[in-house]
Short mmCIF file of all heavy atoms in Angstrom, two decimals:
data_model
loop_
_atom_site.label_atom_id
_atom_site.label_comp_id
_atom_site.label_asym_id
_atom_site.label_seq_id
_atom_site.Cartn_x
_atom_site.Cartn_y
_atom_site.Cartn_z
N HIS A 91 2.78 -15.46 9.93
CA HIS A 91 3.62 -16.58 10.08
C HIS A 91 2.85 -17.92 10.07
O HIS A 91 3.49 -18.92 10.38
CB HIS A 91 4.45 -16.51 11.21
CG HIS A 91 3.77 -16.37 12.58
ND1 HIS A 91 2.65 -15.63 12.88
CD2 HIS A 91 4.05 -17.08 13.81
CE1 HIS A 91 2.34 -15.92 14.10
NE2 HIS A 91 3.12 -16.72 14.67
N GLY A 92 1.52 -17.80 9.99
CA GLY A 92 0.72 -18.96 10.10
C GLY A 92 0.35 -19.40 11.50
O GLY A 92 -0.13 -20.58 11.74
N GLY A 94 2.13 -19.98 14.20
CA GLY A 94 2.96 -21.07 14.83
C GLY A 94 3.95 -21.79 13.94
O GLY A 94 4.40 -21.18 12.98
N ASN A 95 4.06 -23.02 14.20
CA ASN A 95 5.00 -23.86 13.34
C ASN A 95 4.37 -24.28 12.06
O ASN A 95 3.18 -23.96 11.78
CB ASN A 95 5.75 -24.89 14.12
CG ASN A 95 4.72 -25.98 14.68
OD1 ASN A 95 3.65 -26.11 14.07
ND2 ASN A 95 5.03 -26.69 15.68
N ALA A 96 5.03 -25.17 11.34
CA ALA A 96 4.45 -25.75 10.12
C ALA A 96 3.06 -26.35 10.28
O ALA A 96 2.29 -26.26 9.42
CB ALA A 96 5.44 -26.67 9.46
N LEU A 97 2.81 -27.00 11.26
CA LEU A 97 1.56 -27.65 11.67
C LEU A 97 0.46 -26.68 11.88
O LEU A 97 -0.64 -26.87 11.40
CB LEU A 97 1.62 -28.66 12.72
CG LEU A 97 2.64 -29.78 12.55
CD1 LEU A 97 2.60 -30.84 13.81
CD2 LEU A 97 2.32 -30.62 11.24
N ASN A 98 0.85 -25.57 12.55
CA ASN A 98 -0.14 -24.49 12.72
C ASN A 98 -0.39 -23.75 11.31
O ASN A 98 -1.57 -23.37 11.15
CB ASN A 98 0.50 -23.42 13.69
CG ASN A 98 0.73 -23.93 15.03
OD1 ASN A 98 1.84 -24.21 15.43
ND2 ASN A 98 -0.34 -24.17 15.82
N VAL A 99 0.56 -23.70 10.51
CA VAL A 99 0.38 -23.12 9.18
C VAL A 99 -0.57 -24.00 8.42
O VAL A 99 -1.54 -23.41 7.82
CB VAL A 99 1.68 -23.11 8.39
CG1 VAL A 99 1.44 -22.85 6.88
CG2 VAL A 99 2.63 -21.97 8.96
N ARG A 100 -0.57 -25.28 8.58
CA ARG A 100 -1.53 -26.16 7.82
C ARG A 100 -2.97 -25.84 8.37
O ARG A 100 -3.82 -25.77 7.52
CB ARG A 100 -1.21 -27.54 8.16
CG ARG A 100 -1.95 -28.58 7.30
CD ARG A 100 -1.41 -29.98 7.50
NE ARG A 100 -1.99 -30.96 6.64
CZ ARG A 100 -3.32 -31.44 6.84
NH1 ARG A 100 -3.92 -31.21 8.03
NH2 ARG A 100 -3.79 -32.25 5.97
N ARG A 101 -3.20 -25.67 9.56
CA ARG A 101 -4.41 -25.33 10.13
C ARG A 101 -4.80 -24.01 9.74
O ARG A 101 -6.07 -23.81 9.49
CB ARG A 101 -4.44 -25.54 11.79
CG ARG A 101 -5.64 -24.91 12.42
CD ARG A 101 -6.33 -25.78 13.27
NE ARG A 101 -7.65 -25.19 13.56
CZ ARG A 101 -7.88 -24.42 14.67
NH1 ARG A 101 -6.95 -24.31 15.61
NH2 ARG A 101 -9.13 -23.97 14.96
N VAL A 103 -4.28 -22.51 6.94
CA VAL A 103 -4.89 -22.67 5.65
C VAL A 103 -6.20 -23.27 5.64
O VAL A 103 -7.09 -22.79 4.91
CB VAL A 103 -3.84 -23.54 4.73
CG1 VAL A 103 -4.46 -23.84 3.42
CG2 VAL A 103 -2.60 -22.66 4.60
N ILE A 116 2.00 -16.63 3.51
CA ILE A 116 2.64 -17.14 4.64
C ILE A 116 4.03 -16.66 4.57
O ILE A 116 4.71 -16.75 3.56
CB ILE A 116 2.71 -18.74 4.69
CG1 ILE A 116 1.31 -19.28 4.77
CG2 ILE A 116 3.64 -19.27 5.80
CD1 ILE A 116 0.59 -19.03 6.12
N GLU A 117 4.54 -15.88 5.60
CA GLU A 117 5.89 -15.40 5.65
C GLU A 117 6.86 -16.02 6.53
O GLU A 117 6.47 -16.95 7.35
CB GLU A 117 5.74 -13.83 6.03
CG GLU A 117 5.30 -13.61 7.51
CD GLU A 117 5.09 -12.22 7.75
OE1 GLU A 117 4.04 -11.71 7.50
OE2 GLU A 117 6.08 -11.67 8.31
N ASP A 118 8.17 -15.75 6.32
CA ASP A 118 9.22 -16.39 7.11
C ASP A 118 9.75 -15.51 8.17
O ASP A 118 10.86 -15.68 8.67
CB ASP A 118 10.29 -16.80 6.06
CG ASP A 118 10.88 -15.73 5.22
OD1 ASP A 118 10.50 -14.48 5.46
OD2 ASP A 118 11.63 -16.07 4.25
N ILE A 133 12.93 -16.82 10.45
CA ILE A 133 13.17 -18.24 10.72
C ILE A 133 14.31 -18.78 9.66
O ILE A 133 14.61 -18.08 8.68
CB ILE A 133 11.89 -19.00 10.59
CG1 ILE A 133 11.17 -18.88 9.21
CG2 ILE A 133 10.90 -18.55 11.70
CD1 ILE A 133 10.01 -19.78 9.07
N SER A 134 14.81 -19.95 9.91
CA SER A 134 15.68 -20.53 8.99
C SER A 134 15.01 -20.89 7.65
O SER A 134 13.83 -20.97 7.57
CB SER A 134 16.30 -21.90 9.67
OG SER A 134 15.20 -22.83 9.69
N LEU A 135 15.89 -20.96 6.59
CA LEU A 135 15.31 -21.45 5.33
C LEU A 135 14.67 -22.70 5.42
O LEU A 135 13.56 -22.80 4.87
CB LEU A 135 16.47 -21.49 4.40
CG LEU A 135 16.22 -21.99 2.98
CD1 LEU A 135 15.21 -20.99 2.30
CD2 LEU A 135 17.48 -22.14 2.19
N GLU A 136 15.28 -23.64 6.05
CA GLU A 136 14.66 -25.00 6.16
C GLU A 136 13.17 -24.92 6.86
O GLU A 136 12.38 -25.51 6.33
CB GLU A 136 15.58 -25.87 7.06
CG GLU A 136 16.91 -26.26 6.39
CD GLU A 136 17.76 -25.06 6.35
OE1 GLU A 136 17.66 -24.12 7.25
OE2 GLU A 136 18.82 -25.11 5.65
N GLU A 137 13.03 -24.12 7.88
CA GLU A 137 11.69 -24.04 8.60
C GLU A 137 10.74 -23.30 7.61
O GLU A 137 9.54 -23.70 7.54
CB GLU A 137 11.88 -23.23 9.87
CG GLU A 137 10.46 -23.15 10.57
CD GLU A 137 10.65 -22.50 11.98
OE1 GLU A 137 11.77 -22.10 12.37
OE2 GLU A 137 9.51 -22.45 12.61
N GLY A 138 11.32 -22.31 6.89
CA GLY A 138 10.43 -21.59 5.85
C GLY A 138 9.84 -22.58 4.81
O GLY A 138 8.71 -22.45 4.50
N VAL A 139 10.74 -23.34 4.28
CA VAL A 139 10.36 -24.34 3.31
C VAL A 139 9.30 -25.28 3.95
O VAL A 139 8.37 -25.61 3.20
CB VAL A 139 11.59 -25.18 2.81
CG1 VAL A 139 11.08 -26.38 2.00
CG2 VAL A 139 12.48 -24.18 1.92
N GLY A 140 9.50 -25.69 5.10
CA GLY A 140 8.65 -26.58 5.77
C GLY A 140 7.27 -25.96 5.88
O GLY A 140 6.21 -26.65 5.68
N LYS A 141 7.22 -24.62 6.17
CA LYS A 141 5.85 -23.95 6.31
C LYS A 141 5.26 -23.91 4.96
O LYS A 141 3.97 -24.08 4.85
CB LYS A 141 6.13 -22.54 6.87
CG LYS A 141 6.45 -22.49 8.39
CD LYS A 141 6.35 -21.07 8.93
CE LYS A 141 6.32 -21.08 10.43
NZ LYS A 141 6.05 -19.80 11.08
N MET A 142 5.99 -23.63 3.95
CA MET A 142 5.38 -23.65 2.56
C MET A 142 4.72 -24.91 2.19
O MET A 142 3.68 -25.08 1.64
CB MET A 142 6.28 -23.08 1.55
CG MET A 142 6.96 -21.82 1.75
SD MET A 142 5.70 -20.43 2.13
CE MET A 142 6.83 -19.20 2.94
N LYS A 143 5.46 -25.97 2.48
CA LYS A 143 4.86 -27.28 2.13
C LYS A 143 3.72 -27.65 3.01
O LYS A 143 2.80 -28.24 2.41
CB LYS A 143 6.04 -28.41 2.43
CG LYS A 143 7.24 -28.39 1.43
CD LYS A 143 8.31 -29.40 1.86
CE LYS A 143 9.43 -29.44 0.90
NZ LYS A 143 10.51 -30.37 1.18
N ALA A 144 3.70 -27.22 4.23
CA ALA A 144 2.52 -27.51 5.07
C ALA A 144 1.33 -26.70 4.61
O ALA A 144 0.24 -27.13 4.66
CB ALA A 144 2.83 -27.08 6.51
N ALA A 145 1.59 -25.48 4.22
CA ALA A 145 0.47 -24.64 3.61
C ALA A 145 -0.07 -25.28 2.46
O ALA A 145 -1.38 -25.37 2.35
CB ALA A 145 1.02 -23.28 3.32
N LEU A 146 0.71 -25.79 1.49
CA LEU A 146 0.16 -26.61 0.31
C LEU A 146 -0.50 -27.80 0.63
O LEU A 146 -1.59 -28.12 0.16
CB LEU A 146 1.35 -26.74 -0.58
CG LEU A 146 2.01 -25.51 -1.32
CD1 LEU A 146 3.28 -26.04 -1.93
CD2 LEU A 146 1.07 -24.82 -2.25
N ASP A 147 -0.03 -28.44 1.66
CA ASP A 147 -0.71 -29.71 2.13
C ASP A 147 -2.10 -29.46 2.84
O ASP A 147 -2.90 -30.33 2.77
CB ASP A 147 0.24 -30.45 2.99
CG ASP A 147 -0.35 -31.79 3.45
OD1 ASP A 147 -0.42 -32.82 2.62
OD2 ASP A 147 -0.76 -31.95 4.63
N GLY A 148 -2.19 -28.24 3.34
CA GLY A 148 -3.33 -27.98 4.14
C GLY A 148 -4.60 -27.62 3.33
O GLY A 148 -5.74 -27.56 3.88
N ILE A 156 -1.93 -19.99 -2.71
CA ILE A 156 -0.91 -19.94 -1.54
C ILE A 156 0.22 -19.18 -2.07
O ILE A 156 1.01 -19.44 -3.00
CB ILE A 156 -0.46 -21.35 -1.18
CG1 ILE A 156 -1.66 -22.23 -0.78
CG2 ILE A 156 0.60 -21.33 -0.06
CD1 ILE A 156 -2.40 -21.89 0.43
N GLY A 158 4.08 -17.58 -1.04
CA GLY A 158 5.16 -17.52 -0.04
C GLY A 158 5.80 -15.99 -0.01
O GLY A 158 5.90 -15.42 -1.05
N ARG A 174 15.91 -17.72 -0.61
CA ARG A 174 14.56 -18.11 -0.05
C ARG A 174 13.45 -18.14 -1.07
O ARG A 174 12.67 -19.12 -1.22
CB ARG A 174 14.25 -17.05 1.12
CG ARG A 174 15.07 -17.17 2.28
CD ARG A 174 14.93 -16.05 3.29
NE ARG A 174 15.68 -16.29 4.45
CZ ARG A 174 15.31 -16.92 5.55
NH1 ARG A 174 14.05 -17.43 5.71
NH2 ARG A 174 16.21 -16.96 6.65
N ALA A 177 13.78 -21.36 -3.16
CA ALA A 177 13.38 -22.48 -2.29
C ALA A 177 11.90 -22.47 -2.16
O ALA A 177 11.40 -23.59 -2.30
CB ALA A 177 14.08 -22.35 -0.92
N TYR A 178 11.28 -21.37 -1.92
CA TYR A 178 9.83 -21.42 -1.82
C TYR A 178 9.11 -21.72 -3.08
O TYR A 178 8.13 -22.38 -3.16
CB TYR A 178 9.38 -20.09 -1.25
CG TYR A 178 9.94 -19.71 0.14
CD1 TYR A 178 9.91 -18.44 0.52
CD2 TYR A 178 10.43 -20.73 0.99
CE1 TYR A 178 10.53 -18.04 1.75
CE2 TYR A 178 10.98 -20.30 2.23
CZ TYR A 178 11.06 -19.05 2.56
OH TYR A 178 11.63 -18.72 3.85
N GLU A 179 9.80 -21.22 -4.22
CA GLU A 179 9.24 -21.47 -5.49
C GLU A 179 9.19 -22.99 -5.87
O GLU A 179 8.30 -23.57 -6.35
CB GLU A 179 9.94 -20.82 -6.62
CG GLU A 179 9.47 -20.95 -8.01
CD GLU A 179 10.19 -19.92 -8.97
OE1 GLU A 179 10.10 -18.75 -8.82
OE2 GLU A 179 10.67 -20.49 -9.99
N ALA A 180 10.27 -23.60 -5.34
CA ALA A 180 10.45 -25.12 -5.63
C ALA A 180 9.48 -25.92 -4.84
O ALA A 180 9.20 -27.15 -5.24
CB ALA A 180 11.88 -25.46 -5.12
N THR A 181 8.73 -25.29 -3.79
CA THR A 181 7.80 -26.20 -3.07
C THR A 181 6.55 -26.25 -3.72
O THR A 181 5.65 -27.09 -3.44
CB THR A 181 7.56 -25.52 -1.76
OG1 THR A 181 6.86 -24.31 -1.88
CG2 THR A 181 8.83 -25.45 -0.92
N GLY A 182 6.32 -25.34 -4.78
CA GLY A 182 5.04 -25.39 -5.58
C GLY A 182 4.08 -24.31 -5.12
O GLY A 182 2.82 -24.29 -5.59
N VAL A 183 4.45 -23.15 -4.43
CA VAL A 183 3.57 -22.14 -4.11
C VAL A 183 3.20 -21.51 -5.37
O VAL A 183 3.89 -21.54 -6.36
CB VAL A 183 4.20 -21.16 -3.13
CG1 VAL A 183 4.38 -21.81 -1.79
CG2 VAL A 183 5.51 -20.65 -3.67
#
Side-chain angles (χ1 to χ4, degrees):
H91 63 315
N95 66 22
L97 298 183
N98 298 104
V99 168
R100 190 175 185 278
R101 167 123 192 267
V103 171
I116 297 293
E117 66 185 84
D118 54 11
I133 58 177
S134 69
L135 173 63
E136 293 76 15
E137 185 176 0
V139 167
K141 284 193 170 189
M142 302 308 159
K143 290 180 177 178
L146 294 167
D147 185 68
I156 305 293
R174 287 171 180 267
Y178 300 159
E179 182 172 307
T181 67
V183 296

